[in-house]
Amino acid sequence: MSSDFEGYEQDFAVLTAEITSKISRVPRLPPDEKKQMVANVEKELEEARELLEQMDLEVREIPPQSRGMYSNRMRSYKQEMGKLETDFKRSRIAYSDEVRNELLGDDGNSSENQLIKLREERAHLLDNTERLERSSRRLEAGYQIAVETGPCSMGWRDSPAVESTHVVVHSIPNTVSQAFF
């Protein structure tokens, strides 16, 4: 069963590499080729989603004692898929800006700086949003760990060993003062 999962992993790796390569080329292609490339990337993204679903089904069939490792891998692959979809949206935004300018007859020279600035601001906002979401997930995970381990970590104060150490430490000044005076 894990061999099926590993086969899906290899297919996913190859497919995501192809998608990444195509996404990076979309903004630089002539309009006719862009349409075709966008359609190809959409198909490949759908294939990648289907692979993730197959991998998820495989993970569910794995015995619980070894499922954790595969679940972690799945989370990583899903995050990678989300990043690919975000990158594709960004490349399509650049593509749609160019199509809009072409349809409106704007040669882009008069407002080229404005368009560049808007694209940079969009990319910056998307990056900040992603960073905020990642930070929120990490905070939630940390909070969950604190909630789960809170009762265990609070019990150390009631330990007899801690109490005896406390008594010894607090009696040292008295012992020292009696020895010197």
Side-chain angles (χ1 to χ4, degrees), residues 153-171:
S153 65
M154 297 305 284
W156 68 270
R157 294 182 184 151
D158 300 331
S159 168
V162 171
E163 183 62 31
S164 67
T165 304
H166 178 73
V167 169
V168 169
V169 168
H170 285 290
S171 67

Side-chain angles (χ1 to χ4, degrees), residues 40-66:
N40 287 343
V41 170
E42 286 174 342
K43 288 178 187 175
E44 288 181 350
L45 283 171
E46 184 59 34
E47 287 179 38
R49 283 186 212 100
E50 290 173 6
L51 266 175
L52 280 178
E53 289 176 14
Q54 288 293 336
M55 292 165 70
D56 199 29
L57 291 174
E58 289 293 326
V59 168
R60 290 179 187 175
E61 294 178 9
I62 294 175
Q65 60 269 21
S66 57

Side-chain angles (χ1 to χ4, degrees), residues 53-146:
E53 289 176 14
Q54 288 293 336
M55 292 165 70
D56 199 29
L57 291 174
E58 289 293 326
V59 168
R60 290 179 187 175
E61 294 178 9
I62 294 175
Q65 60 269 21
S66 57
R67 189 178 299 165
M69 175 180 69
Y70 292 103
S71 295
N72 289 337
R73 287 184 188 175
M74 281 302 299
R75 270 191 294 269
S76 172
Y77 295 139
K78 287 178 182 179
Q79 288 175 348
E80 184 176 351
M81 186 67 190
K83 185 179 180 321
L84 281 175
E85 289 173 341
T86 302
D87 291 347
F88 181 56
K89 286 178 187 176
R90 285 184 186 160
S91 72
R92 289 191 69 181
I93 288 171
Y95 169 66
S96 65
D97 285 347
E98 291 172 9
V99 169
R100 184 190 72 224
N101 290 340
E102 185 179 306
L103 290 173
L104 294 175
D106 183 12
D107 63 358
N109 292 335
S110 62
S111 62
E112 185 175 327
N113 290 337
Q114 290 175 343
L115 288 174
I116 291 171
K117 186 177 179 181
L118 285 174
R119 286 184 189 142
E120 289 173 356
E121 288 173 353
R122 275 189 203 153
H124 187 66
L125 285 172
L126 287 171
D127 289 340
N128 286 340
T129 302
E130 288 175 17
R131 188 176 302 130
L132 182 62
E133 288 173 356
R134 282 193 307 268
S135 296
S136 295
R137 285 192 298 270
R138 281 189 296 223
L139 284 172
E140 288 172 7
Y143 175 76
Q144 186 64 34
I145 290 171

